Every structure is written in C-alpha cells, then in structure tokens.
Amino acid sequence: MVTYVCIVHGLSRRRACGVFGLSRSVYDYQPKPSEDGQVIETLLSLAEQFPRYGFGKLFSLLRRQQPTWNHKRVYRVYCALKLNLRRKGKRRLPSRHPEKLSVPMAANMCWSVDFMSDVLMNGQRFRTFNVLDDFNREALAIEVDTTLPAARIIRVLDRVVAWRGCPAKLRLDNGPELVSVALADWAERHGVELEFIEPGKPTQNSYIERFNRTFRHEVLDFYIFSRLSEVREIVDNWLKQYNEQRPHESLGDLIPSEYLAINSPEVSTFDWH
C-alpha cells in the first residue's frame, strides 16, 4: 500500500509511511535468508537413516558433525519438520485368568460375546455383535451396524435379558467396547460376572469363535450386501434357521431349541415368529 500511494499520489516514502502509521525501518526491513538449510538437510538425512531415533539421539549424532549448532536451534527445526516421534502408550490390562473352557450345566450360566466385521458393495464397513449361550450353542443376538459402541452393546444385552433372563457370566475378549466402564457398571447392576480371556488367545473363547466361523462361511462370505437393511434381513432369517433347524453334533445332532427344551424346560425360548 505504501508503494501504491507513492506512485499514484506522488508522496515520498516518509510521508506515505506516516499516513499508515508505519516506521520507515519496518517498511524497509528485508528478512535475512534462512540459515537453517544445512540443519534441515542434516536432520532429514539422519532421520531417514535412523527412523526410530528421537531428538536426543539425533542431536548427539548431529553434534558429531556440527559441534557449534545450538540444541535449541536444532530442536526448533526438528519440530518444524514434524519429526517428533508420537508416544504411543500401551493399554495396560489387569491379569487375565479365565476358568478353563467347559460346557455349562444349564442355560444362562455363561454367554460368549464377540465382534465381527465385513464390507458392503460400496466399500462401507459394518460390524456385528454376536451373543451365544454356551450351554446349547443358541445364538441369542446378532446386532448389525456401522458402529457398535458400549452403549449400543448394553442395549442389545438388555433386550436379550428381557426375554431370556440374565446370565451368570459373560465370557469376552479385551476389545475397547467390552472393557468399558459402562459395561462394567451394567454387569455390576445385574450381578453378572465378566470373564475376560487373555489377550491374543481366542481359543479361550472357542464356542463363539466356532460360531463366528459358521456365520462367516454361511452368511458374510456367501452374500454380497448392498445396504445395511439387507444385511439385517438376511442375518435375522439365518439366525432363526440356525436356532430352530440346524442340528449340532456337539448337542447330539439336536437343534439348540430342542436341546434347551429337553435340558432346561424352565427357560423360555424366543418366539422367532
């Protein structure tokens, strides 16, 4: 603007600067060329050579080449280049000592839960939350949605408890939704024991893992889904067939509803109709 006023109105630089309240020293200031080029080049070279080194080790190596460079200057360039290593804290879990896997003596003694995921035709991913009664291998629920937070998991469990009764124990892995405070509060209110398997040992939850394999083979890998409503419709139909028509070798070739009626007649079964 000062230059424009000088050219158009013929004012001197002194008067033009006075009009805008700007000192001539500020107007005439020319920034010095950056002297960090060599620092940048050296830092990038070392970071590429040692990608897991933090600032301390990189600066020690750099000072061997340029002992006169100040650590504050080097750190400023280091941060400007966004070479900071992000600290990724480990999620610490309490010790897990689940009981040895065994068939419960009655229904509602132990439910197993787990998550699965798949993708729609448009590339959108969705998840399923599966609930299984270990006693008669009955699939109590399969919830389908793009996200399944802890609050949604609790609603699913409440819905199942409303018609099936409350389980004595839930066997589950260490997923973020399952180790949440919300689920722990729900379990405490209902007197349900949460039994977590050890991280990286899905065989400690074998009943639901075996169910997941069947569900994957007969539904998720068998169909190509275009929308979530289609997934839910197919899953509901398959769930009814699984519980009321599919024989299980582990149950003596009985279907889950038959096995439950014979061995736990006092437990009501869900009316799929």
Side-chain angles (χ1 to χ4, degrees):
M1 290 297 294
V2 172
T3 304
Y4 174 80
V5 170
C6 291
I7 295 174
V8 174
H9 298 284
L11 298 181
S12 65
R13 285 194 299 170
R14 180 181 62 81
R15 292 195 63 185
C17 288
V19 171
F20 292 104
L22 185 68
S23 66
R24 288 185 59 187
S25 60
V26 172
Y27 176 72
D28 293 331
Y29 173 76
Q30 296 292 330
K32 294 181 179 180
S34 174
E35 299 178 356
D36 295 332
Q38 191 176 357
V39 182
I40 294 173
E41 183 179 350
T42 307
L43 264 179
L44 290 177
S45 176
L46 290 174
E48 184 177 358
Q49 186 177 358
F50 306 103
R52 297 306 300 168
Y53 280 13
F55 173 75
K57 286 192 176 296
L58 289 178
F59 182 68
S60 297
L61 293 174
L62 187 143
R63 284 296 292 267
R64 293 174 180 267
Q65 304 178 25
Q66 296 290 342
T68 60
W69 286 351
N70 183 276
H71 74 280
K72 290 186 286 187
R73 175 190 179 191
V74 175
Y75 186 70
R76 172 177 56 79
V77 176
Y78 177 83
C79 293
L81 295 174
K82 300 187 183 300
L83 296 176
N84 314 57
L85 287 178
R86 183 169 63 91
R87 293 185 178 273
K88 188 175 181 181
K90 291 185 177 179
R91 186 173 54 137
R92 299 190 178 274
L93 298 172
S95 298
R96 306 302 196 191
H97 301 289
E99 294 182 6
K100 187 176 180 181
L101 194 66
S102 59
V103 179
M105 300 298 295
N108 289 349
M109 288 187 63
C110 183
W111 294 356
S112 297
V113 301
D114 199 9
F115 291 93
M116 298 183 70
S117 64
D118 205 349
V119 64
L120 300 177
M121 288 178 60
N122 60 7
Q124 183 181 30
R125 299 200 66 83
F126 66 88
R127 306 180 74 196
T128 73
F129 175 65
N130 306 340
V131 184
L132 188 79
D133 192 322
D134 293 351
F135 173 67
N136 66 326
R137 311 299 197 275
E138 181 179 359
L140 304 178
I142 299 180
E143 189 75 1
V144 179
D145 213 330
T146 52
T147 58
L148 294 170
R152 181 73 171 275
I153 299 309
I154 291 172
R155 290 202 300 270
V156 174
L157 293 175
D158 282 335
R159 189 173 70 232
V160 177
V161 168
W163 62 267
R164 180 57 177 254
C166 207
K169 179 170 63 177
L170 279 181
R171 184 179 286 258
L172 57 171
D173 62 20
N174 298 277
E177 302 88 353
L178 303 180
V179 298
S180 66
V181 175
L183 184 60
D185 291 342
W186 178 89
E188 185 176 359
R189 290 196 307 271
H190 291 78
V192 178
E193 177 188 355
L194 298 181
E195 184 172 272
F196 293 93
I197 64 174
E198 296 178 79
K201 295 188 177 180
T203 54
Q204 295 179 353
N205 207 3
S206 294
Y207 296 141
I208 191 75
E209 293 293 340
R210 178 63 182 84
F211 170 81
N212 289 347
R213 189 180 77 174
T214 301
F215 180 53
R216 172 75 65 183
H217 177 70
E218 298 187 3
V219 179
L220 297 183
D221 287 349
F222 189 77
Y223 295 95
I224 298 178
F225 305 106
S226 59
R227 56 190 181 277
L228 278 179
S229 59
E230 183 182 7
V231 181
R232 295 189 180 108
E233 181 181 357
I234 292 175
V235 166
D236 287 345
N237 292 334
W238 180 84
L239 198 58
K240 178 181 178 181
Q241 177 267 331
Y242 182 89
N243 287 327
E244 297 186 354
Q245 299 177 20
R246 180 192 180 92
H248 289 250
E249 293 182 7
S250 59
L251 304 178
D253 284 334
L254 295 175
I255 61 177
S257 58
E258 288 177 341
Y259 189 85
L260 181 67
I262 294 173
N263 294 278
S264 294
E266 71 281 359
V267 178
S268 61
T269 58
F270 183 63
D271 184 6
W272 295 98
H273 306 284

